[in-house]
Amino acid sequence: MSTPIAVADSLPRDLGNGLVLRLSNRADLEALADFNKWVHRDLGVTEPDEPVAEWTRGLLSRDHPTFGEHDFTIVAEKATGRIVSTLNLISQTWTYEGIPFGVGRVELVGTAPEYRKRGLIRLQFDVVHQLSAERGEPVQAITGIPYYYRQFGYEMAMDLSGGRIGYLASIPVLKEGQVEPFVLRRVVEDDLEFVLELERLSARRSLVHAPRDARLWHYEIFERRPGDVQRLEWRILQTAAGEPVGMAGFSPHPWGGSRIALLWFELAAGWSFVETAASLLRGLRPEGDAILAAKGKTLSGIQFQLGEHHPAYDANQERLPHIRPPYAWYLRVPDLPGFLRTIAPALEERLAGSFAAGHSGELKLSFYRSGLRIILERGRFATIEPWTPVITQDEGHAAFPDLTFLQLVFGYRTFAELRQARPDAWADGDEARGLLTALFPRRYSRFIPIS
């Protein structure tokens, strides 16, 4: 078998029709920022999206901890050099129940209107998929518009966002003479050890997590460019006496036209979400007033965009009455047997705590055109290997259409839920159903990825 040509050695590539495909460099910074601020505008918006431009500049600056100057792909006109299509790859590490694995996050996918439907995005996905493989990243991920990324080998397979909305009238008012028990202040560099402690607590609630070390947190809090669409304002929640108890991150841009959005919130061990709830709401209100006033608007409410589940929701059941349902991450796992071998310790621990503890047996999973063969020996994965089903001869013990098995792997759906939605997902007998139920329960994921 011949060795694949490295991405760097295969580009630039003449695409014909006056176009060339290449990797970016720092000289492309302003041209990419200008392209992205126009192509990524919301439908019906006529003004350029300057926060997206600032995100682009931040990625191509020398400060970003995981992004390099060659991590955009660019399709350009050969005659003019004008950029007509682009996307990027943001490398990072995620964890699955604490087990680390590499991820290539694809973002800022866009093409000029007159160059769409020519296959330019597919060509660039081929490049970043190869680049991600060269970096040893077994998973690629993207947040994006419905359906579109399925055609590049992705499945919507993990929780994304979701939240609750409350209105100003629901914010409790301090009684006369009462001192605010908890207040917000800006994060300073001396807080980083405390932030890392909160990071570890946050990870426990999520099946999949994107951990940040001190370098990544420093970039997130102190180094992102003002105006970057990914930048949050970070505040320490502390007692009136100055003891830090938690941290909140909210968007400096209005959400839903007139709301402030809280996107990260964690409390230190031993502190109550119920006890701090009213103070947090009262502290966020003036922050929201300032954000909306800068846009010539009036604050109407507070949005907790903390995922489908969060302790802050339980502590504010009447104050945050409006539910915003979650969306989903697109995930791609080109070597599924290899990825399952990586996370096998987590699956074995899950099995050991279930009604199928110590199980021995074979489980063949059909994906109709391909499949997996799993052999368990006393609750341990002895074999995880590719297997090909044969219609009418050996169709396996269970089947999953398209890439839907990824929904089980990443906790997005149980087998019973998937079976209800997809009639061509099935299991033959209680042994297969029981193993799928024990190995792949519904598990929630909520984290802020590296961007």
Side-chain angles (χ1 to χ4, degrees):
M1 181 181 296
S2 60
T3 302
I5 299 174
V7 168
D9 296 329
S10 67
L11 299 176
R13 183 189 311 162
D14 192 324
L15 301 180
N17 298 313
L19 298 177
V20 63
L21 171 61
R22 63 178 178 84
L23 298 178
S24 63
N25 57 65
R26 297 202 197 282
D28 294 309
L29 189 152
E30 286 304 325
L32 277 168
D34 185 70
F35 177 83
N36 282 331
K37 75 181 181 183
W38 290 105
V39 82
H40 288 286
R41 292 173 297 171
D42 288 338
L43 186 65
V45 175
T46 58
E47 295 299 314
D49 194 329
E50 293 295 345
V52 168
E54 287 303 298
W55 181 19
T56 305
R57 293 185 180 100
L59 287 168
L60 272 180
S61 74
R62 299 180 186 276
D63 299 325
H64 196 284
T66 73
F67 196 87
E69 67 172 313
H70 306 305
D71 288 348
F72 275 94
T73 56
I74 292 174
V75 177
E77 295 174 342
K78 291 174 63 177
T80 66
R82 174 194 169 213
I83 296 172
V84 301
S85 185
T86 184
L87 53 81
N88 66 28
L89 184 73
I90 309 172
S91 289
Q92 51 203 272
T93 298
W94 291 2
T95 58
Y96 186 103
E97 290 191 351
I99 299 171
F101 61 96
V103 174
R105 182 186 178 192
V106 184
E107 275 300 337
L108 288 171
V109 180
T111 301
E114 66 272 28
Y115 280 93
R116 291 172 185 168
K117 297 186 178 181
R118 299 191 186 188
L120 301 181
I121 294 300
R122 183 175 297 279
L123 289 171
Q124 292 173 89
F125 263 100
D126 289 344
V127 170
V128 295
H129 287 165
Q130 183 182 340
L131 182 58
S132 191
E134 289 176 6
R135 295 176 179 179
E137 297 162 351
V139 175
Q140 290 76 49
I142 187 170
T143 59
I145 58 178
Y147 179 77
Y148 182 73
Y149 297 102
R150 293 182 186 276
Q151 59 191 319
F152 309 118
Y154 290 76
E155 171 69 13
M156 301 188 89
M158 189 171 67
D159 302 286
L160 174 62
S161 198
R164 303 286 191 276
I165 297 174
Y167 304 98
L168 303 186
S170 299
I171 299 177
V173 178
L174 279 176
K175 297 178 181 179
E176 185 176 351
Q178 183 181 4
V179 175
E180 186 68 76
F182 302 94
V183 295
L184 294 174
R185 66 160 172 83
R186 290 187 176 274
V187 182
V188 297
E189 296 207 20
D190 287 345
D191 292 315
L192 277 178
E193 282 301 317
F194 178 65
V195 172
L196 291 173
E197 175 190 339
L198 297 178
E199 158 80 36
R200 289 187 286 271
L201 291 172
S202 177
R204 295 178 186 176
R205 282 201 302 274
S206 186
L207 168 63
V208 175
H209 186 64
R212 283 173 169 78
D213 58 14
R215 175 69 190 93
L216 282 166
W217 269 115
H218 192 279
Y219 177 81
E220 201 69 54
I221 297 172
F222 303 111
E223 299 177 49
R224 279 200 180 275
R225 299 172 66 92
D228 182 340
V229 69
Q230 300 293 333
R231 179 176 174 268
L232 300 183
E233 288 289 335
W234 296 93
R235 301 288 186 268
I236 293 294
L237 184 68
Q238 65 181 25
T239 66
E243 181 182 0
V245 303
M247 185 172 72
F250 58 87
S251 174
H253 308 286
W255 277 49
S258 60
R259 295 190 295 271
I260 182 177
L262 181 72
L263 280 80
W264 201 93
F265 180 51
E266 189 60 61
L267 290 179
W271 289 97
S272 165
F273 282 91
V274 174
E275 185 181 4
T276 57
S279 291
L280 177 64
L281 290 169
R282 286 192 291 265
L284 288 172
R285 179 167 185 170
E287 301 279 9
D289 285 335
I291 289 169
L292 271 296
K295 301 290 185 180
K297 299 180 179 180
T298 301
L299 182 71
S300 68
I302 297 177
Q303 184 164 337
F304 280 35
Q305 198 73 5
L306 302 172
E308 186 175 6
H309 304 286
H310 195 279
Y313 302 158
D314 298 321
N316 290 282
Q317 295 181 42
E318 291 190 359
R319 298 172 190 142
L320 301 172
H322 185 80
I323 297 174
R324 298 277 292 181
Y327 192 51
W329 275 95
Y330 283 100
L331 299 177
R332 175 180 181 265
V333 186
D335 178 12
L336 185 55
F339 183 70
L340 291 178
R341 286 191 287 269
T342 296
I343 65 171
L347 301 180
E348 291 171 349
E349 184 176 348
R350 195 179 285 171
L351 195 66
S354 78
F355 54 84
H359 183 86
S360 295
E362 182 183 54
L363 183 63
K364 292 179 180 178
L365 303 178
S366 168
F367 310 139
Y368 289 95
R369 294 184 177 182
S370 63
L372 286 174
R373 177 174 176 262
I374 296 171
I375 296 179
L376 289 163
E377 295 181 356
R378 303 306 303 157
R380 301 290 181 182
F381 285 87
T383 300
I384 305 175
E385 63 185 9
W387 165 77
T388 302
V390 181
I391 301 298
T392 73
Q393 295 182 37
D394 188 357
E395 298 179 304
H397 303 109
F400 300 88
D402 304 319
L403 300 172
T404 54
F405 182 63
L406 292 180
Q407 296 185 26
L408 268 65
V409 173
F410 290 96
Y412 188 58
R413 294 286 184 267
T414 64
F415 173 71
E417 290 169 339
L418 183 62
R419 174 71 182 88
Q420 188 175 28
R422 297 295 297 264
D424 49 355
W426 54 264
D428 182 17
D430 281 345
E431 182 174 331
R433 292 189 193 97
L435 284 173
L436 290 169
T437 300
L439 284 169
F440 303 109
R442 176 74 172 92
R443 287 296 308 276
Y444 167 74
S445 294
R446 164 63 176 136
F447 56 92
I448 297 179
I450 311 303
S451 58

